[in-house]
Amino acid sequence: MYTLPILRLKGVVGQIVPDATLESVHEIPSTHITRLYALNISGSRQLLLSLQPSLAVRLLRNEQGLMLCEANLIHFLSKTPGSAAIKPPPEEDKLDSSFLSSLIPTMLKHSSNTKEMGYPYTIFEQVPGSSLSSQSIYLTVSERRHVDNQIGTLVRDLALIKSPTGTFGPVIKVCGDSFAQGASSGAGAGGAGTWSLAFDALAESILRDGEDMSVLLPYEVIRRQFTRLSWRLKAVTIPRLTLPDAGDDAVVLVERRLEEGPLSPEDSVRVTGLRHWSRSVFGDPLMSSCFENPSEGFSAGWKGDSNEDLIEDPEGASTRMLLYRCYRAVVDIVIEYYRPRNESSRFEMDARKRLTGILTELETVDLDGGQTPKRMRTESMAAADMTMVKKLKIEGGKE
């Protein structure tokens, strides 16, 4: 357990809102690794404190700079006046979507050092609403469709934003760190020249995380498939902004109006923001999990009123999505070894089943991207693999 340094926090709040005082603090339950606290200050105003995980929490390689990535993305999207730390996008790429603009949280302060609070932190204006996962059971079919439509619009609005440097990869690598001392425009900017290289770096990172923890996975098979089909990724030439988990129910925030009398879905529920913005990447919009099993509402929101198709190489889209699904399955497996949850074994086994199915499907994709009837792995082989994995876990005393 981590105890907040309340006196220091009061001082920080006093600097941000000079005329207000901190009255109370309570933690907000979240499935995300960062710790979230609601700060109630005088005047019925509420702020949100996002604190980096404690040193006791094991982080994956790509999670080491999540808070910094989030802060830089919010800075980039909101174009904080008076700062030139991040090169602004070209005039034609400027953010002009009123919907996305309304969802960007107001960031009051970000600190990457540990002097004030013991850990890096960010303070935002509190966003109204609660997670979609806590509200979904109360939504009618039409309300849920309206929420999905807004998620589709959000994902499209994000995809309309292109990398300011023309390179691919996580925002912090592409844009540089705007909060670094002495940072100037483009400071530390990097990124990969192709989406194939950027995705390979992401995939290799999680595979090495798994190897570090001796997680039993078919590493050679996964790497072979990523290498064999990487040419499909090279067809993505425009680095568009995507949040891979933007459609997750635990990430999306919604607000419902509970009033007497009938209300239209548009009036009764609305998306107010996201619980976090930290996993942002400039790359292929299809990397978002929203596209795996898109609902009718999401598809309508994604299409929007424009006929512009933001997906490059539609012919190879299905193959690319298989690679992204494989990546997500590996992440879901490995993360259970880094941060086991209640019923961790069940979550892991579900992810392993998905991975086995995806690898079986990938084997049917030939070098031209077409499907062949030949399957290199039979269902009985897959079942044998699952039995072996479960036996090893039991013997290892994890269950």
PDB file of all heavy atoms in Angstrom, residues 196-215:
ATOM      1  N   SER A 196       6.187  -1.467 -40.289  1.00  0.00           N
ATOM      2  CA  SER A 196       6.705  -2.813 -40.074  1.00  0.00           C
ATOM      3  C   SER A 196       7.771  -2.821 -38.985  1.00  0.00           C
ATOM      4  O   SER A 196       7.760  -3.671 -38.090  1.00  0.00           O
ATOM      5  CB  SER A 196       7.284  -3.372 -41.380  1.00  0.00           C
ATOM      6  OG  SER A 196       7.872  -4.645 -41.177  1.00  0.00           O
ATOM      7  N   LEU A 197       8.682  -1.858 -39.039  1.00  0.00           N
ATOM      8  CA  LEU A 197       9.738  -1.775 -38.026  1.00  0.00           C
ATOM      9  C   LEU A 197       9.164  -1.403 -36.664  1.00  0.00           C
ATOM     10  O   LEU A 197       9.586  -1.939 -35.626  1.00  0.00           O
ATOM     11  CB  LEU A 197      10.790  -0.750 -38.451  1.00  0.00           C
ATOM     12  CG  LEU A 197      11.688  -1.132 -39.626  1.00  0.00           C
ATOM     13  CD1 LEU A 197      12.573   0.044 -40.030  1.00  0.00           C
ATOM     14  CD2 LEU A 197      12.551  -2.350 -39.261  1.00  0.00           C
ATOM     15  N   ALA A 198       8.196  -0.484 -36.635  1.00  0.00           N
ATOM     16  CA  ALA A 198       7.613  -0.050 -35.364  1.00  0.00           C
ATOM     17  C   ALA A 198       6.851  -1.185 -34.700  1.00  0.00           C
ATOM     18  O   ALA A 198       6.985  -1.414 -33.487  1.00  0.00           O
ATOM     19  CB  ALA A 198       6.677   1.140 -35.602  1.00  0.00           C
ATOM     20  N   PHE A 199       6.058  -1.922 -35.479  1.00  0.00           N
ATOM     21  CA  PHE A 199       5.302  -3.028 -34.903  1.00  0.00           C
ATOM     22  C   PHE A 199       6.240  -4.149 -34.463  1.00  0.00           C
ATOM     23  O   PHE A 199       6.008  -4.790 -33.421  1.00  0.00           O
ATOM     24  CB  PHE A 199       4.280  -3.566 -35.902  1.00  0.00           C
ATOM     25  CG  PHE A 199       3.473  -4.715 -35.364  1.00  0.00           C
ATOM     26  CD1 PHE A 199       2.472  -4.498 -34.438  1.00  0.00           C
ATOM     27  CD2 PHE A 199       3.733  -6.021 -35.768  1.00  0.00           C
ATOM     28  CE1 PHE A 199       1.730  -5.553 -33.914  1.00  0.00           C
ATOM     29  CE2 PHE A 199       3.004  -7.082 -35.259  1.00  0.00           C
ATOM     30  CZ  PHE A 199       1.999  -6.851 -34.329  1.00  0.00           C
ATOM     31  N   ASP A 200       7.279  -4.388 -35.231  1.00  0.00           N
ATOM     32  CA  ASP A 200       8.249  -5.417 -34.846  1.00  0.00           C
ATOM     33  C   ASP A 200       8.867  -5.095 -33.495  1.00  0.00           C
ATOM     34  O   ASP A 200       9.087  -5.986 -32.671  1.00  0.00           O
ATOM     35  CB  ASP A 200       9.344  -5.530 -35.914  1.00  0.00           C
ATOM     36  CG  ASP A 200      10.395  -6.582 -35.556  1.00  0.00           C
ATOM     37  OD1 ASP A 200      10.069  -7.778 -35.596  1.00  0.00           O
ATOM     38  OD2 ASP A 200      11.532  -6.197 -35.219  1.00  0.00           O
ATOM     39  N   ALA A 201       9.144  -3.801 -33.252  1.00  0.00           N
ATOM     40  CA  ALA A 201       9.709  -3.398 -31.961  1.00  0.00           C
ATOM     41  C   ALA A 201       8.722  -3.663 -30.828  1.00  0.00           C
ATOM     42  O   ALA A 201       9.106  -4.123 -29.744  1.00  0.00           O
ATOM     43  CB  ALA A 201      10.097  -1.917 -32.007  1.00  0.00           C
ATOM     44  N   LEU A 202       7.437  -3.361 -31.059  1.00  0.00           N
ATOM     45  CA  LEU A 202       6.416  -3.622 -30.042  1.00  0.00           C
ATOM     46  C   LEU A 202       6.292  -5.119 -29.769  1.00  0.00           C
ATOM     47  O   LEU A 202       6.226  -5.549 -28.611  1.00  0.00           O
ATOM     48  CB  LEU A 202       5.066  -3.066 -30.511  1.00  0.00           C
ATOM     49  CG  LEU A 202       4.920  -1.543 -30.609  1.00  0.00           C
ATOM     50  CD1 LEU A 202       3.599  -1.175 -31.270  1.00  0.00           C
ATOM     51  CD2 LEU A 202       5.011  -0.905 -29.225  1.00  0.00           C
ATOM     52  N   ALA A 203       6.258  -5.903 -30.846  1.00  0.00           N
ATOM     53  CA  ALA A 203       6.100  -7.353 -30.697  1.00  0.00           C
ATOM     54  C   ALA A 203       7.311  -7.975 -30.012  1.00  0.00           C
ATOM     55  O   ALA A 203       7.175  -8.815 -29.115  1.00  0.00           O
ATOM     56  CB  ALA A 203       5.873  -7.988 -32.068  1.00  0.00           C
ATOM     57  N   GLU A 204       8.494  -7.564 -30.422  1.00  0.00           N
ATOM     58  CA  GLU A 204       9.706  -8.132 -29.832  1.00  0.00           C
ATOM     59  C   GLU A 204       9.814  -7.769 -28.357  1.00  0.00           C
ATOM     60  O   GLU A 204      10.309  -8.552 -27.539  1.00  0.00           O
ATOM     61  CB  GLU A 204      10.936  -7.627 -30.592  1.00  0.00           C
ATOM     62  CG  GLU A 204      12.244  -8.278 -30.180  1.00  0.00           C
ATOM     63  CD  GLU A 204      12.266  -9.781 -30.391  1.00  0.00           C
ATOM     64  OE1 GLU A 204      11.541 -10.282 -31.277  1.00  0.00           O
ATOM     65  OE2 GLU A 204      13.018 -10.457 -29.656  1.00  0.00           O
ATOM     66  N   SER A 205       9.329  -6.605 -28.003  1.00  0.00           N
ATOM     67  CA  SER A 205       9.369  -6.168 -26.612  1.00  0.00           C
ATOM     68  C   SER A 205       8.568  -7.101 -25.711  1.00  0.00           C
ATOM     69  O   SER A 205       9.046  -7.537 -24.663  1.00  0.00           O
ATOM     70  CB  SER A 205       8.846  -4.735 -26.493  1.00  0.00           C
ATOM     71  OG  SER A 205       8.794  -4.323 -25.148  1.00  0.00           O
ATOM     72  N   ILE A 206       7.339  -7.437 -26.117  1.00  0.00           N
ATOM     73  CA  ILE A 206       6.506  -8.305 -25.268  1.00  0.00           C
ATOM     74  C   ILE A 206       7.036  -9.738 -25.279  1.00  0.00           C
ATOM     75  O   ILE A 206       6.946 -10.452 -24.269  1.00  0.00           O
ATOM     76  CB  ILE A 206       5.019  -8.263 -25.706  1.00  0.00           C
ATOM     77  CG1 ILE A 206       4.139  -8.981 -24.690  1.00  0.00           C
ATOM     78  CG2 ILE A 206       4.832  -8.840 -27.089  1.00  0.00           C
ATOM     79  CD1 ILE A 206       4.162  -8.382 -23.309  1.00  0.00           C
ATOM     80  N   LEU A 207       7.614 -10.170 -26.392  1.00  0.00           N
ATOM     81  CA  LEU A 207       8.191 -11.512 -26.426  1.00  0.00           C
ATOM     82  C   LEU A 207       9.379 -11.614 -25.476  1.00  0.00           C
ATOM     83  O   LEU A 207       9.572 -12.622 -24.780  1.00  0.00           O
ATOM     84  CB  LEU A 207       8.613 -11.865 -27.849  1.00  0.00           C
ATOM     85  CG  LEU A 207       7.463 -12.097 -28.843  1.00  0.00           C
ATOM     86  CD1 LEU A 207       8.002 -12.287 -30.261  1.00  0.00           C
ATOM     87  CD2 LEU A 207       6.620 -13.298 -28.434  1.00  0.00           C
ATOM     88  N   ARG A 208      10.186 -10.579 -25.413  1.00  0.00           N
ATOM     89  CA  ARG A 208      11.318 -10.580 -24.482  1.00  0.00           C
ATOM     90  C   ARG A 208      10.837 -10.513 -23.035  1.00  0.00           C
ATOM     91  O   ARG A 208      11.454 -11.115 -22.143  1.00  0.00           O
ATOM     92  CB  ARG A 208      12.245  -9.402 -24.787  1.00  0.00           C
ATOM     93  CG  ARG A 208      13.006  -9.562 -26.099  1.00  0.00           C
ATOM     94  CD  ARG A 208      13.971  -8.425 -26.332  1.00  0.00           C
ATOM     95  NE  ARG A 208      14.700  -8.584 -27.580  1.00  0.00           N
ATOM     96  CZ  ARG A 208      15.600  -7.727 -28.029  1.00  0.00           C
ATOM     97  NH1 ARG A 208      15.880  -6.621 -27.321  1.00  0.00           N
ATOM     98  NH2 ARG A 208      16.216  -7.943 -29.173  1.00  0.00           N
ATOM     99  N   ASP A 209       9.744  -9.797 -22.804  1.00  0.00           N
ATOM    100  CA  ASP A 209       9.149  -9.795 -21.457  1.00  0.00           C
ATOM    101  C   ASP A 209       8.767 -11.215 -21.055  1.00  0.00           C
ATOM    102  O   ASP A 209       8.988 -11.628 -19.916  1.00  0.00           O
ATOM    103  CB  ASP A 209       7.904  -8.902 -21.426  1.00  0.00           C
ATOM    104  CG  ASP A 209       8.230  -7.419 -21.473  1.00  0.00           C
ATOM    105  OD1 ASP A 209       9.281  -7.035 -20.937  1.00  0.00           O
ATOM    106  OD2 ASP A 209       7.423  -6.659 -22.041  1.00  0.00           O
ATOM    107  N   GLY A 210       8.185 -11.944 -21.993  1.00  0.00           N
ATOM    108  CA  GLY A 210       7.805 -13.320 -21.708  1.00  0.00           C
ATOM    109  C   GLY A 210       9.008 -14.197 -21.446  1.00  0.00           C
ATOM    110  O   GLY A 210       9.008 -15.028 -20.519  1.00  0.00           O
ATOM    111  N   GLU A 211      10.058 -14.017 -22.221  1.00  0.00           N
ATOM    112  CA  GLU A 211      11.271 -14.814 -22.035  1.00  0.00           C
ATOM    113  C   GLU A 211      11.930 -14.506 -20.697  1.00  0.00           C
ATOM    114  O   GLU A 211      12.475 -15.402 -20.043  1.00  0.00           O
ATOM    115  CB  GLU A 211      12.242 -14.561 -23.189  1.00  0.00           C
ATOM    116  CG  GLU A 211      11.761 -15.148 -24.510  1.00  0.00           C
ATOM    117  CD  GLU A 211      12.609 -14.720 -25.695  1.00  0.00           C
ATOM    118  OE1 GLU A 211      13.189 -13.617 -25.647  1.00  0.00           O
ATOM    119  OE2 GLU A 211      12.683 -15.482 -26.677  1.00  0.00           O
ATOM    120  N   ASP A 212      11.865 -13.250 -20.279  1.00  0.00           N
ATOM    121  CA  ASP A 212      12.448 -12.868 -18.989  1.00  0.00           C
ATOM    122  C   ASP A 212      11.798 -13.621 -17.833  1.00  0.00           C
ATOM    123  O   ASP A 212      12.442 -13.916 -16.827  1.00  0.00           O
ATOM    124  CB  ASP A 212      12.301 -11.360 -18.759  1.00  0.00           C
ATOM    125  CG  ASP A 212      13.204 -10.539 -19.666  1.00  0.00           C
ATOM    126  OD1 ASP A 212      14.125 -11.131 -20.279  1.00  0.00           O
ATOM    127  OD2 ASP A 212      13.000  -9.320 -19.756  1.00  0.00           O
ATOM    128  N   MET A 213      10.492 -13.895 -17.973  1.00  0.00           N
ATOM    129  CA  MET A 213       9.754 -14.580 -16.912  1.00  0.00           C
ATOM    130  C   MET A 213       9.578 -16.067 -17.184  1.00  0.00           C
ATOM    131  O   MET A 213       8.834 -16.756 -16.491  1.00  0.00           O
ATOM    132  CB  MET A 213       8.372 -13.929 -16.739  1.00  0.00           C
ATOM    133  CG  MET A 213       8.417 -12.531 -16.150  1.00  0.00           C
ATOM    134  SD  MET A 213       8.875 -12.538 -14.393  1.00  0.00           S
ATOM    135  CE  MET A 213       7.330 -13.099 -13.671  1.00  0.00           C
ATOM    136  N   SER A 214      10.280 -16.567 -18.205  1.00  0.00           N
ATOM    137  CA  SER A 214      10.212 -17.989 -18.584  1.00  0.00           C
ATOM    138  C   SER A 214       8.778 -18.431 -18.847  1.00  0.00           C
ATOM    139  O   SER A 214       8.374 -19.540 -18.482  1.00  0.00           O
ATOM    140  CB  SER A 214      10.836 -18.867 -17.479  1.00  0.00           C
ATOM    141  OG  SER A 214      12.199 -18.526 -17.275  1.00  0.00           O
ATOM    142  N   VAL A 215       8.004 -17.559 -19.485  1.00  0.00           N
ATOM    143  CA  VAL A 215       6.636 -17.903 -19.853  1.00  0.00           C
ATOM    144  C   VAL A 215       6.688 -18.879 -21.025  1.00  0.00           C
ATOM    145  O   VAL A 215       7.372 -18.640 -22.019  1.00  0.00           O
ATOM    146  CB  VAL A 215       5.838 -16.649 -20.258  1.00  0.00           C
ATOM    147  CG1 VAL A 215       4.410 -17.026 -20.643  1.00  0.00           C
ATOM    148  CG2 VAL A 215       5.836 -15.636 -19.126  1.00  0.00           C
TER     149      VAL A 215
END
